[in-house]
């Protein structure tokens, strides 16, 4: 296990609660509680604000288990708190669900940086998913919005900012929730947002949730996952899903209503966190652009690649899909 002391203090305390305390204890500040009143300034933030924060140099490419990713998780936990969402992580850990990841090594496949399994599987690193909910009239029926927030880190002296992959998806999820909160309408179904870690290492974070979910999996009626939605021709989206299901149908209908296209597309060996839920028999789909592979997993995946109009449209599609499923 890597040292716990490198983690931000509040995050480190929550992970220790979830995974068991190490031999040396650290003094931590009191746990942050969600705000009872949502700050107007927070509600008026945009997906581009989130993308700019998550791709800043101090985030160091957000490799799972790194200091940079810990900073990103702190930012996201603060957003969930300031939005006044209900913590739905591990018991006594607030928004955080803790798990560990095995070692990986970097490799390149067709010019794209990726990870493969390392050798010492006993040396594991702490990571966290972040989960918060907007409670509906039916607390035991859940629509889950998700996006992974990790990326590739720094390799051979170059940062991999991961603006499109997947700061774009994170920003969209937060933007949808901000809009729902501004409208002050109680949904019929509970809407949960989740930010997964270690997707780039093989969907480790979402698989950890499915194995040890913080609420019963059978409460999830659909999973809308967002991944790499900021580039390409405006309105030209793709869907990854297993045939027609509630999630696929909702996004497909919402895209049509928004004047966009979101067609089921062959994955060609690729995948995203929706697969973790599909394998558990839960209706799930991932929204992405048709041109998502452009500059993917390269240092060129910066904010210069992001088209604000595409981000706005992706957010509108997911918002309309949530309206169909939860209201």
């Amino acid at each position: 296990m890597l040292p716990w002391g490198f983690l931000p203090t509040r995050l480190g305390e929550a992970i220790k609660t979830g995974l068991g305390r190490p031999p040396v204890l650290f003094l931590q500040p009191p746990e942050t509680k969600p705000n009872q009143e949502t700050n107007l300034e927070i509600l008026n933030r945009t997906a581009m604000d989130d993308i700019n924060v998550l791709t800043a140099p101090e985030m160091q490419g957000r490799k799972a288990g790194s200091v940079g990713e810990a900073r990103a998780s702190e930012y996201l936990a603060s957003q969930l708190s300031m939005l006044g969402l209900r913590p739905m992580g591990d018991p006594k850990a607030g928004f955080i669900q803790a798990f560990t990841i095995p070692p990986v090594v970097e490799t390149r496949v067709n010019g794209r940086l990726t990870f493969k399994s390392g050798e010492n599987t006993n040396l594991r690193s702490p990571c966290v998913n972040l989960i918060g909910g907007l409670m509906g009239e039916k607390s035991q029926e859940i629509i889950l919005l998700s996006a992974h927030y990790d990326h590739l880190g720094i390799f051979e002296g170059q940062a991999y900012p991961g603006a499109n992959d997947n700061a774009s998806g994170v920003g969209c999820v937060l933007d949808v929730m901000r809009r729902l909160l501004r409208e002050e309408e109680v949904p019929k179904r509970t809407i949960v947002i989740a930010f997964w870690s270690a997707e780039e290492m093989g969907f480790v974070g979402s698989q950890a949730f499915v194995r040890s979910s913080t609420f019963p999996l059978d409460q999830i009626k659909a999973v809308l996952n967002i991944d790499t939605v900021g580039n390409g021709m405006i309105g030209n989206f793709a869907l990854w899903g297993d045939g027609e299901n509630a999630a696929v149908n909702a996004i497909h209908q919402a895209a049509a209503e928004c004047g966009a296209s979101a067609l089921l597309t062959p994955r060609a060996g690729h995948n995203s966190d929706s697969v973790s839920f599909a394998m558990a028999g839960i209706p799930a789909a991932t929204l992405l652009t048709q041109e998502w592979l452009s500059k993917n997993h390269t240092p060129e995946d910066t904010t210069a690649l992001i088209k604000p109009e595409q981000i706005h449209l992706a957010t509108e599609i997911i918002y309309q899909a949530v309206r169909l499923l939860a209201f």
Side-chain angles (χ1 to χ4, degrees), residues 206-281:
S206 57
Q207 289 177 359
F209 177 84
V210 170
R211 284 195 306 271
S212 302
S213 59
T214 58
F215 50 83
L217 287 179
D218 62 9
Q219 294 182 1
I220 304 174
K221 304 308 175 186
V223 178
L224 310 180
N225 187 60
I226 303 94
D227 198 346
T228 61
V229 290
N231 72 327
M233 186 170 67
I234 302 301
N236 191 26
F237 293 98
L239 268 179
W240 286 346
D242 295 327
E244 293 188 4
N245 61 46
V248 169
N249 292 340
I251 295 177
H252 182 74
Q253 180 179 337
E257 292 174 356
C258 294
S261 173
L263 301 177
L264 277 172
T265 304
R267 292 185 284 264
H270 302 288
N271 225 316
S272 188
D273 286 301
S274 56
V275 69
S276 300
F277 296 90
M279 291 177 65

Side-chain angles (χ1 to χ4, degrees), residues 41-159:
E41 181 181 350
I42 295 299
L43 288 180
N44 288 330
R45 287 180 64 82
T46 68
M48 289 307 302
D49 292 328
D50 302 312
I51 293 168
N52 287 329
V53 170
L54 293 172
T55 57
E58 57 267 26
M59 299 297 178
Q60 300 175 2
R62 309 187 309 280
K63 180 180 177 180
S66 71
V67 173
E69 197 213 30
R71 291 176 182 142
S73 66
E74 280 277 283
Y75 168 75
L76 294 174
S78 72
Q79 293 300 302
L80 298 181
S81 176
M82 288 186 286
L83 287 172
L85 300 183
R86 176 174 292 187
M88 300 186 73
D90 292 328
K92 300 181 180 180
F95 299 107
I96 290 169
Q97 182 194 34
F99 63 98
T100 62
I101 57 172
V104 295
V105 294
E106 291 84 354
T107 186
R108 284 195 172 91
V109 178
N110 298 323
R112 299 170 65 243
L113 185 68
T114 187
F115 296 120
K116 65 180 181 179
S117 298
E119 295 182 358
N120 187 356
T121 57
N122 292 321
L123 181 66
R124 301 181 69 89
S125 304
C127 281
V128 299
N129 297 322
L130 298 141
I131 310 163
L134 172 62
M135 304 310 294
E137 295 173 4
K138 300 176 181 179
S139 62
Q140 296 184 344
E141 292 188 16
I142 290 171
I143 303 301
L144 179 62
L145 309 186
S146 71
H148 76 89
Y149 71 98
D150 65 301
H151 195 52
L152 301 172
I154 297 174
F155 181 61
E156 295 180 342
Q158 286 190 299

